[in-house]
Amino acid sequence: MMEVCNCIEPQWPADELLMKYQYISDFFIAVAYFSIPLELIYFVKKSAVFPYRWVLVQFGAFIVLCGATHLINLWTFTTHSRTVALVMTTAKVLTAVVSCATALMLVHIIPDLLSVKTRELFLKNKAAELDREMGLIRTQEETGRHVRMLTHEIRSTLDRHTILKTTLVELGRTLALEECALWMPTRTGLELQLSYTLRQQHPVEYTVPIQLPVINQVFGTSRAVKISPNSPVARLRPVSGKYLLGEVVAVRVPLLHLSNFQINDWPELSTKRYALMVLMLPSDSARQWHVHELELVEVVADQVAVALSHAAILEESMRARDLLMEQNVALDIARREAETAIRARNDFLAVMNHEMRTPMHAIIALSSLLQETELTPEQRLMVETVLKSSSLLATLMNDVLDLSRLEDGSLQLELGTFNLHTLFREVLNLIKPIAVVKKLPITLNLAPDLPEFVVGDEKRLMQIILNIVGNAVKFSKQGSISVTALVTKSDNRAPPDFFVVPTGSHFYLRVKVKDLGAGINPQDIPKLFTKFAQTQSLATRSSGGSGLGLAISKRFVNLMEGNIWIESDGVGKGCTAIFDVKLGISNESKQSAIPKVPANPQHANFAGLKVLVMDENGVSRMVTKGLLVHLGCEVTTVSSNEECLRVVSHEHKVVFMDVCMPGVENYQIALRIHEKFTKRHQRPLLVALTGNTDKSTKEKCMSFGLDGVLLKPVSLDNMRNVLSDLLEHRVLYEAM
């Protein structure tokens, strides 16, 4: 019978197997420990900036000792000698020392390592922030590029409609918008009108009230504002329940100084007003507005405002230019019409002057001849009346012509040196006969410092003085008349708008003519210098007159850079006429000046003087011949240029030629006579007989070689004086 074994099998491996596993493990641990230092040595050699090299060396020694301990432990699994135990103990002691030193060292190193980690995190954060800033800079650069591009497109034109349409198109392309619209204020300023859209999905002229809360919100800030896609100004897209509507922003566009521009249908308001720009993102995306896009919209709105202001200025300037051009055209038409009217008036006056002077020449000449005959007192009175009336009519004709030339600016002063004292005495000699008849004493007072010889227009100055003194005599029935001449001083009384500024070469002459006659109502004084104006006093009405004398005198005074005015205390209290004129100071002295010695034409003898008269008008030719025959001349008359050239000979001493008609044909005969008589002493004196008083007639006569000009009408005394002066000086040019 077999015995049952109650032995229990062990749960763990046998000691030999355990020892075998430990042996193998210690071997691999030793190999691993020895390999780690090699890797650390490689890391230290390759890392040039690692700051803890000595720590790694210490840590490597610790690992080597640990590996050596496990390696020595291989010999302890069998019977071993004391030497192995000693080596094992030494290795473990060294390992313990090195491990403790390493642990202590790590206590000091760990804070440094933690700070390094902190700096690393800080640098990472800084790097991330720099990345964000660089992204922002790139975004800003992109925004700036878009702004510059949009600004260039917007400002490439100065047409308002093109600017606004271009803005919507460029914004829609740059920001990928679904819709973009511009609402403009209406003329009343109470509504906003849909004026421009990007897609043109809605008709223009759709309006909304300007007082909507959403509009006030946008107008209250210069920033772009997000608004509801369902607001009245944003409901521009077709309704679709498929997608959510995209985000909408609105921004105001300033309309700068509309009151200054008044552009078409813009509101006529002085306060600042805005347009509204609405921008919509696509509905089929989850896209949102970014900050840089909003900034882009705000900048573009400002640029549009500036471009619109420039366009407004351009439109205003173009309208002003068109208006100015229209006004210039109208002014040019008016100027041409005025010039045509002036030419027509001048032509009319020239023709009338010529046509009136020819019969006047006959009347005055024949009356003066008749005056030389035996007449009864009644007949002589009638002849003198005819002569006086004819002279008044001739004076009126001269006044009208002078006024016409003064108004069109063709009359110019003829400056020359003359004796001022003698001029005043000549005026008194001409006026005294009339004053004696009316029993009006006239006195002349010349200031001691009044220059004797001056430079100016002697004829026009005499005309002014004669006019004023003649009026004083005409309108005075009693009392006396005084004429005072002096040098005007800066402290002398004068109108407030007239200032006397004498210089070293000029002075101002003041002439006062005071009378005790009819006087003038102070309210009527301003009217006196208006042409054809007369006061309503009895004396004026009974004295007659054309009303041109003072008007012409004032214009002559203005030509001489002076002023004229009248003072009176009222009707019946007389008046004082005062004028200042600018004259030049002459360098001539009394000794150097050659006085004019008047000839005595009453005793002049023209018997046997052969004279040739050429005149196309038979009456004028007969009258001129009668004057010359009465003076004893032998007269030959011709009626044409060819006949004159054929008849004239060296026996003729004087040739009177009628040159009244315009053109140069009548002057050509003078050149042909010069060619016929090559020697001057054989050629007769050529005198133009004309009714034209313009300066061009005198200039033509001088340029064609005529020796003198005689203005019609001519009286007997005038012809006698002309012949005397002509034969004495061989030249005669009356002031015209």
Side-chain angles (χ1 to χ4, degrees), residues 6-24:
N6 293 325
C7 297
I8 300 174
E9 295 184 1
Q11 296 180 356
W12 302 101
D15 292 340
E16 293 82 3
L17 185 59
L18 292 175
M19 294 298 290
K20 187 176 180 180
Y21 286 155
Q22 291 182 16
Y23 184 85
I24 294 172

Side-chain angles (χ1 to χ4, degrees), residues 43 60 158 173 191 375 439 517 596 647 689:
F43 173 76
L158 285 177
R173 183 175 60 83
E191 294 177 319
L375 300 173
K439 299 180 180 180
K596 296 180 181 179
V647 172
L689 191 62

